Amino acid sequence: MPKQASSITTLLSSLSVLAKASNPSRPARASLRIHFPGSPSPTTVSTPGTPLTKDAAALPPSYSISATALSNITLPNCDLSPVSSHHSSPSSSGHSRRGSEANNAAGQIPHYMVICLDLDPPFPSFPVLAPILHSLEADLRLVTEELDADEGYIYLTADEEEEARGSDGISHPTRGERRTKPVVGYMGPKPPGVSSPHRYVFLCWEQPEGVTGQKVREVLGLNNNEGGEEGEDVGLAKRVRWDQEGFEKMLGLGDVVAGNYFVC
């Protein structure tokens, strides 16, 4: 069984400290929020370790990142402390897609990758299948057109396809809407009935230069019939005993930008 990646250990440690230091009347908020569109009502995981039912976490989630986690990002047309901001000049139509994009320290438009892992299969006391890869999304961008200044979180979306744009040529993202296929489709939690709750951890990175969803597919050896551009599912054999440490090294991923987890 591959050893647990240091990124996971570090994230869980920081979330544990955050939870212990929080005021009971004001629960700790993780740097990554997980938004499930479940029925009968949506569920948002803000507090690390929130218990969820299988039904609540059954559908693919969307995400938002705390502004405090984006220390190297410049956001346009807003003042969302402590993130630095600037005011871009609008076009004559009142819109400027490039002017509405966030930029990183290198002046590039940042894209993000989010991965979900089950750390405890089949049982927390005997995790011989750990970790299991539950989803992997790449090419996500910050939705700077929809900032939640009160809450301090910024939504992520994927809208790289031309047909995602409106008739005016401007991208009009909708909160949580997917417009490109995930690298590995989401698999909801399915712990055995006799098991104690599993931890489902989500980690988010800013993608290094040259790393795209297609590059990730190539690294994983996926083709159009297995998690590729056609969006076909990836079999369990490639998900179990996931080598997260090796995956991070192959892609040259840096520190985790944001993370969270729930239990089920």
Side-chain angles (χ1 to χ4, degrees), residues 2-21:
K3 68 178 182 178
Q4 185 162 287
S6 59
S7 59
I8 299 174
T9 303
T10 301
L11 174 66
L12 291 176
S13 177
S14 64
L15 291 176
S16 176
V17 171
L18 177 66
K20 290 179 180 178

Side-chain angles (χ1 to χ4, degrees), residues 36-44 53-59:
F36 287 102
S39 178
S41 60
T43 299
T44 293
T53 64
K54 293 179 183 179
D55 288 342
L59 298 177

Side-chain angles (χ1 to χ4, degrees), residues 163-239:
E163 55 266 32
R165 306 183 190 282
S167 58
D168 56 1
I170 307 299
S171 173
H172 299 283
T174 299
R175 181 183 301 185
E177 182 178 337
R178 280 176 170 73
R179 291 177 176 138
T180 56
K181 300 294 185 182
V183 176
V184 177
Y186 179 72
M187 180 174 68
K190 297 178 182 178
V194 295
S195 173
S196 55
H198 290 199
R199 295 165 296 171
Y200 295 86
V201 63
F202 291 74
L203 302 100
C204 174
W205 292 266
E206 182 179 336
Q207 291 173 197
E209 184 177 359
V211 173
T212 63
Q214 184 56 41
K215 173 68 173 180
V216 177
R217 292 183 179 96
E218 293 171 2
V219 167
L220 297 181
L222 301 177
N223 53 41
N224 286 352
N225 294 320
E226 194 168 17
E229 294 179 349
E230 298 301 320
E232 298 295 333
D233 198 12
V234 174
L236 190 60
K238 285 196 173 183
R239 294 177 184 256

Side-chain angles (χ1 to χ4, degrees), residues 51-174:
L52 295 184
T53 64
K54 293 179 183 179
D55 288 342
L59 298 177
S62 57
Y63 315 100
S64 58
I65 302 179
S66 169
T68 58
L70 299 173
S71 58
N72 72 325
I73 300 299
T74 299
L75 296 172
N77 301 320
C78 68
D79 182 11
L80 193 57
S81 182
V83 179
S84 60
S85 61
H86 71 275
H87 295 272
S88 58
S89 299
S91 65
S92 58
S93 64
H95 298 283
S96 172
R97 184 172 190 274
R98 287 298 173 186
S100 67
E101 294 282 11
N103 289 275
N104 60 19
Q108 300 168 333
I109 298 171
H111 288 86
Y112 296 86
M113 177 188 309
V114 178
I115 196 168
C116 173
L117 303 169
D118 177 359
L119 303 184
D120 302 306
F123 310 106
S125 60
F126 190 60
V128 292
L129 300 178
I132 290 181
L133 174 66
H134 273 251
S135 68
L136 174 55
E137 293 189 70
D139 298 333
L140 303 174
R141 74 170 182 88
L142 297 168
V143 184
T144 55
E145 298 92 332
E146 185 179 349
L147 298 174
D148 191 346
D150 291 333
E151 292 291 334
Y153 284 80
I154 304 167
Y155 285 89
L156 289 171
T157 192
D159 65 342
E160 298 302 309
E161 298 173 352
E162 287 300 318
E163 55 266 32
R165 306 183 190 282
S167 58
D168 56 1
I170 307 299
S171 173
H172 299 283
T174 299

